[in-house]
Amino acid sequence: MSQPPPPPPSQPPSGGYGAPQEPTQGQPPSYGYPQQPGQAPPPPQQPPQSPGTPPPAPGTPPPGGGPYGQQPPAGYGYPQGQPQPGYGYPQDQQQPGYGYPQTPGQAPTSPPYGGPQTPPPPGPYGQQGPGAFPYGNPAGPAGPAPGGGGKNNSKIIAIVAAVVAVVLVAGLGVFFLAKDDDDKKDESKGGGGTSSQGDPNAKPKNTSGRQIVDLKAPDVNDVTTVTGSWATDKVYAKSSVQEIIVQDLRTKKQSKISLKGNVCAASNGMTKDHKVAVVVQETISNSADCTRMVIVDLDKKAIAWDKTMPNSDTRSNENVAISGDTVASAWIGGSVGYKISTKKKLWEAKPSNCRDTGYQGGKSLVVVVECGRDLDNPEVSVQKLDPDTGKAKWKYEPPKGVKNVRVASTDPMVLVAGAGDELASDVFSIGEDKKLKAKISLGKRYNKPCELEVDGCYGMAVGPDAIYLSTAEHPGKSEYGDTNEIMAFDINTGDTKWKAAAGEKRTIIPFKMQGRNVLGYKPPSYDSGGQVVTIDPKHGKQTKLLQMPVSDIGKGEQSFSVDAYSVDTQIVFEHNRLFLDDKLISERRPSQEETPRLAVGFGAD
């Protein structure tokens, strides 16, 4: 629960850090190395055209922002006529991030973008991306704002000319081979780790997925929250308007669990016996308060219990989390915890100088606490709680100047912190000694992986030894779509370990661990279905787990716009089945021909 933190620790010294490496003699600069003065910038990428429209002639300016008519992340669009810095290269003189000492006068060098780094001398975590700066100082233009990745069903992404590409990326001894979807060969085989879903080293006998869930969105008169999406080996469940829909994955039969009002918040996880939690409005009125804690048993397709939470007279509740047999929820003005198996209230926090801003579940129950009357400059702490009492048994205090904290993982502890007005500027890994182990500065090089909620880091993954982030989209070899990579960082040092490329006309999102392997989702391109791959943690080699079929516009995967730079809801992958969903639905329809979807699912069985 909320507990005032002690005074912040003394600030350690900071110092400068080094310059980029020179390219090897006789070889061209690696991708991401700065261009020479006067060198012309690369031509802008052309977005796909309408069906039946030939590719634009050379030199024709693109009609819109990024690929598929979407705006690209900030950092593109430098003034024409000026040399552009190479992608991923620091934009200006930088300083090490707060909180890590550096040997005076020492200047570590940075390898070419994306390449594994050799162990650096003492310095700011061995990795300095753009945006590393003492908290409170600006770091240049901000990256793309969090959120905004919602559906764009009316976008036209068909094109006549399809490019089949074979990409060979070499990075200091680490080789990655990717083939286009039209090639029958999979990505490089990889291995390492096990999980409850089987050996992630092994390629499934059948990777060709078919659509197994297609839930159409109901008609509404206003923007309506429908957050909540879960899957077991037998069912898929999705929150809808004043109900939860549960579909049997074998028989396709659907059951509906009625609720007293709309869903305000939903747990990302579930208990071992497949119970989930939702916070629900007290009546069917859109103006009703979010007062009810509801536990739903997915196996029984029924409500296990429903209780009124104390002092929860607010519509601002967007957080509920499960850890073991405990469920906790926080809102402006209070928080509460219950034992799921007995319905017993374990704690209750009332308004005070400190407040619980949100919980994250999983192996441990963690809360982010803000103290002080100045909401613009709160004193922030992250606390591991005793799940039976709600009392803090472990506390970490981020550096002064951090205002926004999201919890990406509770064990190991990994936080996404925002300095100044940024929601996400750095990723911290924290040791059991409550000290900062490593810091990764996101800058413009990496996508912002989190939404507003404390438990809303849907665009990254954390393993026992590494943190996995996606790089910002950048031009590849194909003129019909940008690409990006998953980058693995050592959780103890922050050093880069390897990168796994999405492939041409592809992007990739790290979203979950499967045993010791990281799972990556590649959204569909204009001519191919999406993919789920498993990536081994040692070398970054990929094995395809599921290939989705090609979808028409507004159907299947194309019902949703899942972007690497903004993942606004969970990507659910259980028992080799993929589920995509929306957390908000609107009265507006993209077109007469398109019907909005609540969720879709794919499996090879």
Side-chain angles (χ1 to χ4, degrees), residues 590-602:
S591 73
Q592 294 295 330
E593 293 77 21
E594 297 180 31
T595 300
R597 260 65 178 180
L598 270 179
V600 296
F602 302 87

Side-chain angles (χ1 to χ4, degrees), residues 111-123:
Y113 170 73
Q117 298 181 346
T118 54

Side-chain angles (χ1 to χ4, degrees), residues 1-5 332 352-358 367-383 402-406 452 454:
M1 292 188 296
S2 306
Q3 295 187 5
I332 296 176
S352 66
N353 189 50
C354 294
R355 72 181 188 93
D356 298 347
T357 62
V367 63
V368 175
V369 177
E370 293 183 357
C371 295
R373 300 297 182 185
D374 186 356
L375 298 179
D376 292 330
N377 294 285
E379 298 175 15
V380 181
S381 66
V382 179
Q383 303 174 10
V402 169
K403 294 196 300 184
N404 300 301
V405 176
R406 308 291 174 258
L452 294 173
V454 166

Side-chain angles (χ1 to χ4, degrees), residues 14 269 418 421 440 458 533:
S14 62
D421 294 329
I440 303 162
Y458 305 125
V533 297

Side-chain angles (χ1 to χ4, degrees), residues 13-324:
S14 62
Y17 71 97
Q21 291 181 335
E22 295 292 335
T24 305
Q25 187 172 2
Q27 296 181 353
S30 299
Y31 186 71
Y33 193 84
Q35 299 174 354
Q36 297 299 320
Q39 185 175 348
Q45 295 296 300
Q46 302 291 345
Q49 306 299 307
S50 302
T53 303
T60 302
Y68 315 144
Q70 298 176 8
Q71 291 300 319
Y76 298 94
Y78 289 89
Q80 299 300 314
Q82 299 180 14
Q84 297 181 13
Y87 178 78
Y89 186 77
Q91 303 301 308
D92 45 31
Q93 184 71 23
Q94 299 174 2
Q95 300 177 14
Y98 182 96
Y100 195 91
Q102 186 178 45
T103 304
Q106 201 156 20
T109 59
S110 300
Y113 170 73
Q117 298 181 346
T118 54
Y125 314 102
Q127 188 273 339
Q128 286 292 329
F133 59 91
Y135 291 108
N137 292 343
K151 80 172 57 171
N152 183 14
N153 295 331
S154 59
K155 65 183 180 182
I156 300 177
I157 55 174
I159 192 163
V160 175
V163 179
V164 178
V166 177
V167 182
L168 177 63
V169 181
L172 298 179
V174 178
F175 293 90
F176 169 74
L177 180 62
K179 289 194 177 289
D180 189 86
D181 299 322
D182 296 330
D183 194 308
K184 294 182 180 179
K185 294 182 179 180
D186 299 331
E187 287 84 357
S188 304
K189 305 296 185 292
T194 59
S195 79
S196 60
Q197 297 183 31
D199 183 1
N201 296 326
K203 176 183 175 181
K205 293 181 180 180
N206 182 12
T207 62
S208 181
R210 59 184 179 85
Q211 188 161 347
I212 58 175
V213 170
D214 186 8
L215 301 182
K216 295 180 180 179
D219 292 330
V220 294
N221 296 321
D222 200 353
V223 176
T224 304
T225 300
V226 288
T227 184
S229 177
W230 311 271
T232 71
D233 59 332
K234 297 179 180 179
V235 303
Y236 172 71
K238 175 72 183 94
S239 295
S240 185
V241 179
Q242 298 159 20
E243 65 184 7
I244 293 176
I245 301 172
V246 183
Q247 177 172 319
D248 188 295
L249 295 174
R250 183 180 61 86
T251 66
K252 312 303 180 188
K253 180 181 178 181
Q254 292 182 3
S255 302
K256 295 184 178 180
I257 303 171
S258 296
L259 303 171
K260 295 180 179 178
N262 290 334
V263 172
C264 305
S267 63
N268 290 330
M270 65 179 71
T271 63
K272 290 182 179 180
D273 57 352
H274 302 155
K275 291 184 176 70
V276 301
V278 289
V279 174
V280 177
Q281 288 178 309
E282 58 189 350
T283 69
I284 61 175
S285 169
N286 284 339
S287 60
D289 291 331
C290 302
T291 63
R292 309 200 70 82
M293 173 72 75
V294 181
I295 302 298
V296 178
D297 189 323
L298 298 185
D299 291 341
K300 295 181 179 179
K301 303 179 182 64
I303 292 176
W305 54 265
D306 179 347
K307 298 191 70 169
T308 299
M309 298 185 295
N311 304 309
S312 58
D313 52 347
T314 177
R315 294 186 61 199
S316 64
N317 193 310
E318 295 181 348
N319 176 255
V320 59
I322 289 176
S323 179

